Amino acid sequence: MEDCMSGEEDYYSSDRESLDGLENEESDVPWVPPKGPCSKVITKESLLAAQREDLRRVMDLLSLREHHARTLLIHYRWDVEKLFAVYVEKGKACLFSEAGVTEVEKHNLNSSSPSTIMCNICMEDVPGAEVTKMDCGHKFCNNCWTEHFIVKIKEGQSKRIRCMTHKCNAICDETIVSNLVSKRHPDLAEKFDRFLLESYIEDNKMVKWCPSTPHCGNAIRVEDDEFCEVECSCGLQFCFCCLADAHSPCSCLMWELWAKKCHDESETVNWITVHTKPCPKCHKPVEKNGGCNLVSCICGQAFCWLCGGATGRDHTWSNISGHSCGRYKEDREKKAERAKRDLYRYMHYHNRYKAHTDSFKLESNLKETIREKVSNLEKKDSRLRDFSWVTNGLYRLFRSRRVLSYSYPFAFYMFGDDLFKDEMTNEEREIKQHLFEDQQQQLEANVEKLSKFIEEPFDQYGEDKVMEIRMQVINLSVITDNLCKKMYECIENDLLGSLQFGIHSIAPYQSKGIEKATELSVCRNPKVAYTEKCPIPDYHTNGMVTESGRPSCSGSSDESGCSSRKRPKKESLGCGKIDLNLPAEVIDRN
């Protein structure tokens, strides 16, 4: 279910001040200065710039060549903060040894070599010009190196190709790899370069491909928390953690189980268990269509409906000839009753989930109707000229309806036996369920009220009536927003927060809807981009790494500017596209 605010600009102006005033009256949370967006869209043009941004940070801090910086980042899965933390805690030597980085003095690398050298791989004498020496000091002929590189690339190990020497963990220079392979297999060298470039996405837990179909070619990078929901520039809204449709307040596991339950035949099996009995001969399910307890299968076998046992066809209204099943069989009855109870419970939550999902789809068509109503009101001679409250209320309805819809799959698993049977006693489960359902019912009642006022034909009313509807819409918008926040706080603190095994995390509530990722700027001068976007981290004695002046997003919408404030306009000074076909040295020089 996509948030209908997708593709729209921020509408929270004018009447937004009145909404903020009402919020401040009911909330003691201090105002937080606005911060920039927490997610970025990485296109094909900006992928190289995004990768080189992290490379530059490591190169400048540790005074390394690009090859060594990339080796470190690939080893630590492009987690710059973790890399810096290991550097502070364990030192440079440990950092390099774990990643397979070997620094050799330049005079050793550039020292003169004899005219002929025996390669220890092929055991042949080769000219010194046809021998390549790696940073670790080991040297072999170019033919052996090339064969080694080709095999490793074909095996899928192209991002971390180690030296051929036994027990040497040094990573080979990717520039040398590309140059040697390109002389024999240009297409394989191109594949190697592409693997290195895309490793920024494939190995980086904070960067993932957009799951759109057909694929838009974009990737999304988040700053701090991978448990979030984002919107790509192509318009797709998805959960960054599991790449499924946005499903908050359900956790990823809950939504995976619910989607499977809704789409496979598990509930059909439950219905068959409750309403049919298997034929004792052919084992096909048979549904009873009359009052007599002697039923016949299409295969011709007669059996007793009460116990399922095979019988003859002779019977009266009171009994079946030669058959008696008056003995109580507890296990069979318990199994049938449990299947019936599980089916009815699933139907309860699924019906409400589907009802709100259908309402969301129908209310999505209100945008055109609202525009027509506002257009009609603007033609009238009235002192009311600002109608942003209608748009604000409409998008608040979309977001609240979406939260309400996904709260039912959450409740199905939170208070069922599938996931948390051993986490809570029956008494604790009952208390928490009543607490959650009270909040759920309050939200549901106010969402329906807001929907009623939004659908009113207010363009046909008088000015006083329109003003009355305006205040109702503004008040209900604030109320539903606060109720959504309280529901998320209840889920995060009272329900999921009290679990012993913290495997269920949800995306934080966003008052302004799912954040739309902004496109990553591609700057021609990477050094300027580095100093502006990536300040040098501050290091403390406890080993923690922080960045001074860098905006971050917390899990709470009340403390995070990315969830409750307007997005700043994108800076475009000095930025353009980078030609991916140019070498890195040329890009730096430009």
Side-chain angles (χ1 to χ4, degrees), residues 397-417:
L397 175 63
F398 291 155
R399 296 171 190 132
S400 302
R401 181 75 76 181
R402 181 179 170 278
V403 170
L404 187 59
S405 175
Y406 287 107
S407 69
Y408 283 98
F410 170 83
F412 177 80
Y413 287 107
M414 186 71 225
F415 308 114
D417 296 333

Side-chain angles (χ1 to χ4, degrees), residues 145-159:
W145 279 122
T146 303
E147 290 296 333
H148 174 65
F149 296 151
I150 291 174
V151 170
K152 292 300 180 181
I153 293 174
K154 290 182 178 180
E155 290 178 353
Q157 303 178 28
S158 56
K159 288 178 285 190

Side-chain angles (χ1 to χ4, degrees), residues 535-538 546-551:
I536 297 297
D538 297 328
T546 60
E547 286 187 359
S548 58
R550 180 180 178 180

Side-chain angles (χ1 to χ4, degrees), residues 75-127:
H75 177 74
Y76 290 101
R77 302 186 67 84
W78 293 91
D79 191 340
V80 181
E81 310 305 329
K82 181 180 179 181
L83 188 154
F84 288 163
V86 173
Y87 171 65
V88 171
E89 294 172 0
K90 299 182 179 181
K92 193 173 184 178
C94 183
L95 176 74
F96 284 9
S97 63
E98 289 181 359
V101 174
T102 304
E103 280 197 307
V104 181
E105 297 295 331
K106 291 184 178 180
H107 62 79
N108 291 334
L109 287 174
N110 299 328
S111 58
S112 59
S113 57
S115 57
T116 59
I117 299 175
M118 188 183 76
C119 174
N120 291 331
I121 299 295
C122 61
M123 306 304 293
E124 294 183 0
D125 292 331
V126 294

Side-chain angles (χ1 to χ4, degrees), residues 434-451:
H434 288 161
L435 173 65
F436 179 79
E437 288 176 349
D438 287 343
Q439 296 191 358
Q440 194 179 43
Q441 289 174 9
Q442 290 182 41
L443 177 60
E444 191 169 21
N446 284 279
V447 166
E448 298 301 339
K449 288 180 184 178
L450 181 59
S451 177

Side-chain angles (χ1 to χ4, degrees), residues 114 138 174 178 195 202 215 329 339 354 401 421 494 578:
H138 299 126
E174 66 266 10
S178 182
F195 280 162
E202 302 292 346
H215 191 243
K329 297 181 180 178
K354 191 174 186 304
R401 181 75 76 181
K421 182 178 181 180
D494 300 330
I578 286 180

Side-chain angles (χ1 to χ4, degrees), residues 279-494:
C279 171
K281 181 179 179 182
C282 67
H283 305 291
K284 291 181 179 178
V286 178
E287 183 182 7
K288 183 181 177 183
N289 59 1
C292 181
N293 286 323
L294 178 66
V295 295
S296 296
C297 179
I298 58 174
C299 69
Q301 176 64 51
F303 64 95
C304 174
W305 179 259
L306 297 178
C307 68
T311 67
R313 292 183 174 275
D314 295 334
H315 69 289
T316 64
W317 287 107
S318 58
N319 59 36
I320 303 173
S321 299
H323 177 73
S324 176
C325 60
R327 297 184 181 276
Y328 176 66
K329 297 181 180 178
E330 185 176 4
D331 292 341
R332 185 180 297 172
E333 294 296 329
K334 282 185 176 181
K335 184 178 180 180
E337 286 299 322
R338 179 176 178 81
K340 186 183 295 185
R341 186 180 71 251
D342 290 345
L343 176 61
Y344 289 158
R345 183 174 182 272
Y346 167 77
M347 290 173 60
H348 168 84
Y349 287 101
H350 182 268
N351 289 342
R352 282 152 183 79
Y353 161 76
K354 191 174 186 304
H356 287 293
T357 303
D358 293 342
S359 296
F360 181 91
K361 293 177 181 178
L362 294 173
E363 288 165 349
S364 302
N365 300 324
L366 287 175
K367 286 196 289 187
E368 289 298 325
T369 307
I370 291 297
R371 289 193 181 98
E372 293 177 5
K373 292 179 181 179
V374 171
S375 178
N376 293 336
L377 285 174
E378 288 175 343
K379 294 176 183 178
K380 294 183 179 180
D381 186 13
S382 171
R383 59 186 174 90
L384 184 62
R385 290 297 179 185
D386 185 9
F387 299 102
S388 59
W389 56 271
V390 185
T391 310
N392 296 341
L394 181 63
Y395 289 116
R396 177 60 58 211
L397 175 63
F398 291 155
R399 296 171 190 132
S400 302
R401 181 75 76 181
R402 181 179 170 278
V403 170
L404 187 59
S405 175
Y406 287 107
S407 69
Y408 283 98
F410 170 83
F412 177 80
Y413 287 107
M414 186 71 225
F415 308 114
D417 296 333
D418 296 283
L419 297 178
F420 308 114
K421 182 178 181 180
D422 300 327
E423 291 276 3
M424 299 176 285
T425 63
N426 292 333
E427 292 76 11
E428 290 175 339
R429 181 182 286 107
E430 186 176 354
I431 293 173
K432 291 181 178 182
Q433 183 171 356
H434 288 161
L435 173 65
F436 179 79
E437 288 176 349
D438 287 343
Q439 296 191 358
Q440 194 179 43
Q441 289 174 9
Q442 290 182 41
L443 177 60
E444 191 169 21
N446 284 279
V447 166
E448 298 301 339
K449 288 180 184 178
L450 181 59
S451 177
K452 173 181 176 295
F453 283 110
I454 291 292
E455 293 180 359
E456 288 275 356
F458 50 83
D459 56 329
Q460 303 175 12
Y461 294 159
E463 187 172 323
D464 293 339
K465 181 68 172 176
V466 173
M467 291 295 293
E468 181 183 343
I469 293 177
R470 173 181 174 274
M471 288 309 302
Q472 290 286 355
V473 170
I474 291 176
N475 290 335
L476 287 169
S477 297
V478 176
I479 291 171
T480 54
D481 184 34
N482 288 333
L483 288 173
C484 287
K485 290 179 182 177
K486 290 179 180 179
M487 177 181 286
Y488 271 71
E489 290 174 0
C490 173
I491 291 173
E492 292 174 344
N493 301 327
D494 300 330

